[in-house]
Amino acid sequence: MTLTETIAAVRAKRCSAVEVVQQSLDAIEKHNERLGAFISVEGERALQRARDIDARIAKGEPVGPLAGAAVAVKDNMCTAFGTTTCASQILSNFRSPYDAAVVERLEAADAVIVGKTNLDEFAMGSSSENSSYCPVRNPWDTTRVPGGSSGGSAVAVAAGLVQGALGSDTGGSIRQPAALTGITGLKPTYGRVSRHGLVAFASSLDQIGPLARNVRDTACLLKVIAGHDPRDSTSVGCAVPDYTALLGADLKGLTIGVAAGDFGKGLNDEVCKAVEAALGVYRDNGARIVEAHLPHMKYAIACYYLIATAEASSNLARYDGVHYGVRADRHEGIVDLYCASRDQGFGQEVKRRIMLGTFALSSGYYDAYYLKALKVRTLLARDFEAAFEQVDVIASPVSPVTAFKLGEKIDDPLAMYLADIHTTSVNLAGIAGLSIPCGFDADGLPIGLQLMAPHFAEERLLAVGHQFQCLTDYHTKHPPQST
Ligand code: GLN
């Protein structure tokens, strides 16, 4: 069942919250070893919360809008229960003293969090292979990656282990795994969702968002987690629309922009065909497809990998073996303690990012790299602003390729970084981006369509995505052996 169906069934007492949660826990027990989607599972706690919800329903007491749904959160979001590891050895024993704002909001809405999902260490990666626990595997073909870094959240939903999940997206980490696993994922506008309690990777880009089976479920989750929070100074106070009620909005006269450069070299043929066919679906339903002019898009990857690494090098300075997490047991003096703890605690990709970022920020290179990247970022944001004067949404592929083999790109960081070619510009501009399934390749692997909308136009984005799901059935397909 989808999230919406599950909530309705629990509310109507056709099934209990305990049954939903128990089924989720059983499915995790059965499939997690194969898929590696969860780092930790909080079975007893989840069942207790489900019992509480059932008791309130039995007594006719009010329950929250997500009552009865089993959900998961990425393990870079703090929870006062269990551990928050970011899939890193340096935080393998870290217990947060507080819940992230999104965790509070999910639980206040009576969603039941069953566990915390696997990711690329500190959300750095595009394949979920950079986890210090185990790689996550794609349920459509377990020899392939599910994308990253929110691969665990995507797989938990795609394999039917939960009805919805939260991920974080700094350069594509919600949208790309959603695309590669055939589900729906939304990166909301920067400032739409509070990041209080999200472990920072690149603070000017990070955003939390939902992953679910379809756009309706995604809208349902966004409604719960969106809104101002005084504890995140970047969260914005504008009203939270009723996203689910607005899904049926009239889309007459819809204009979709497409950047010509998006369909060039490096784009897999089948992905290209599926995205073009998806645009055809919109065209057949009255949308106008026009060319969008985004001249600086070609610099997005370079710009992103300077800014994201620079911010990461600064954000990750706090892991010193003293303030948080794991401390090296053998060291000679304080400086050696820092060095040894960081050397043992961080994985290879995290170290690479810290070094790249430190380099980009160092005196002599700051102007040439970091500052220049900031200027390009402004140009990119202006490209989008100008484009959105002509079009309502912009469409593109999410990922240039379908799910690749485990190990295929792990030794070639540049090839891995190119997986983000269509997604990073959305974070750099701070706008909203949605990934919806739009087809399968010859191997039966899912393909995603990306839709982008201006700041705080999530209701438009979701309505446009929902229209596609009313006209197609890609989002209803499940991987083999799923629950
Ligand atoms: N794949 C990108 C990176 O490695 C994006 C990660 C993310 O969005 N967290 O940085």
Side-chain angles (χ1 to χ4, degrees):
M1 286 195 292
T2 65
L3 180 85
T4 308
E5 288 163 357
T6 306
I7 295 165
V10 170
R11 213 166 265 267
K13 298 187 197 164
R14 274 181 275 121
C15 70
S16 67
V18 167
E19 283 170 312
V20 175
V21 169
Q22 190 59 58
Q23 193 178 55
S24 164
L25 295 172
D26 292 346
I28 295 170
E29 174 78 30
K30 185 160 166 224
H31 296 289
N32 198 47
E33 202 170 293
R34 182 171 64 95
L35 299 172
F38 282 85
I39 289 180
S40 55
V41 179
E42 295 289 333
E44 234 347 279
R45 182 179 184 277
L47 284 169
Q48 190 48 49
R49 292 190 68 86
R51 278 183 219 115
D52 184 56
I53 291 165
D54 286 335
R56 273 151 57 209
I57 292 177
K59 279 192 251 160
E61 286 172 13
V63 287
L66 297 179
V71 300
V73 297
K74 188 174 177 179
D75 205 19
N76 61 351
M77 295 171 203
C78 287
T79 48
F81 58 85
T83 50
T84 300
T85 69
C86 294
S88 180
Q89 283 309 305
I90 210 157
L91 289 180
S92 53
N93 63 356
F94 176 60
R95 302 180 83 86
S96 166
Y98 62 89
D99 281 327
V102 289
V103 169
E104 284 175 1
R105 287 186 189 232
L106 282 179
E107 295 203 323
D110 284 326
V112 179
I113 299 173
V114 295
K116 310 207 48 196
T117 56
N118 203 353
L119 63 153
D120 287 301
E121 184 176 357
F122 284 105
M124 296 174 187
S126 311
S127 68
S128 299
E129 291 166 290
N130 294 336
S131 164
S132 77
Y133 292 91
C134 63
V136 187
R137 288 170 185 272
N138 193 318
W140 293 91
D141 174 349
T142 52
T143 66
R144 293 176 187 272
V145 304
S149 63
S150 312
S153 288
V155 168
V157 172
L161 311 182
V162 290
Q163 286 94 42
L166 297 186
S168 65
D169 190 313
T170 305
S173 278
I174 291 174
R175 290 159 287 155
Q176 186 250 16
L180 269 44
T181 59
I183 62 166
T184 300
L186 173 73
K187 199 243 19 127
T189 306
Y190 187 76
R192 181 71 291 185
V193 177
S194 169
R195 302 162 314 156
H196 170 71
L198 171 70
V199 178
F201 161 12
S203 310
S204 77
L205 301 159
D206 297 339
Q207 185 58 213
I208 294 173
L211 297 109
R213 281 235 140 104
N214 57 42
V215 172
R216 181 174 291 284
D217 290 357
T218 304
C220 206
L221 287 165
L222 180 65
K223 206 161 87 179
V224 165
I225 61 169
H228 181 245
D229 174 8
R231 297 166 300 179
D232 174 0
S233 59
T234 67
S235 83
V236 173
C238 59
V240 178
D242 187 343
Y243 296 112
T244 40
L246 294 167
L247 286 178
D250 183 10
L251 295 174
K252 230 169 87 204
L254 178 74
T255 307
I256 301 178
V258 179
D262 276 356
F263 291 84
K265 215 174 92 214
L267 182 65
N268 167 293
D269 222 32
E270 291 171 281
V271 173
C272 182
K273 286 209 181 87
V275 171
E276 278 171 352
L279 292 171
V281 170
Y282 281 113
R283 192 183 293 112
D284 293 345
N285 276 273
R288 221 159 48 90
I289 315 287
V290 301
E291 192 177 318
H293 187 54
L294 300 161
H296 298 93
M297 194 80 116
K298 55 180 178 289
Y299 305 117
I301 285 274
C303 180
Y304 169 82
Y305 275 96
L306 283 164
I307 293 174
T309 55
E311 294 185 16
S313 73
S314 159
N315 272 326
L316 270 61
R318 73 190 67 176
Y319 306 105
D320 55 7
V322 178
H323 289 90
Y324 303 90
V326 173
R327 177 178 305 177
D329 22 281
R330 274 219 293 268
H331 49 80
E332 288 160 24
I334 186 78
V335 173
D336 191 47
L337 181 155
Y338 296 157
C339 294
S341 301
R342 288 168 71 83
D343 184 38
Q344 288 169 27
F346 289 140
Q348 212 188 357
E349 181 62 23
V350 174
K351 287 178 185 166
R352 179 183 292 124
R353 305 268 179 129
I354 292 172
M355 287 191 277
L356 284 170
T358 306
F359 177 76
L361 288 175
S362 58
S363 84
Y365 295 103
Y366 183 94
D367 288 1
Y369 293 109
Y370 182 66
L371 200 61
K372 195 172 257 177
L374 291 185
K375 290 176 182 172
V376 173
R377 179 179 191 172
T378 301
L379 295 174
L380 240 155
R382 285 189 194 149
D383 280 1
F384 276 112
E385 247 168 66
F388 283 128
E389 279 174 19
Q390 318 287 328
V391 303
D392 300 305
V393 295
I394 297 173
S396 80
V398 179
S399 161
V401 293
T402 52
F404 44 93
K405 292 269 185 193
L406 278 134
E408 189 180 321
K409 295 186 201 283
I410 198 71
D411 296 322
D412 187 351
L414 280 183
M416 191 70 93
Y417 296 173
L418 283 172
D420 307 322
I421 193 150
H422 301 291
T423 48
T424 54
S425 52
V426 167
N427 304 73
L428 290 165
I431 60 174
L434 177 72
S435 170
I436 53 174
C438 73
F440 294 90
D441 72 5
D443 294 323
L445 300 168
I447 298 171
L449 170 72
Q450 177 171 236
L451 297 165
M452 299 163 259
H455 298 120
F456 300 101
E458 279 83 2
E459 67 272 32
R460 183 193 306 168
L461 199 53
L462 291 164
V464 174
H466 178 67
Q467 183 189 33
F468 188 76
Q469 296 192 337
C470 291
L471 297 164
T472 60
D473 65 356
Y474 304 113
H475 61 288
T476 64
K477 306 280 186 238
H478 303 313
Q481 291 185 53
S482 65
T483 326

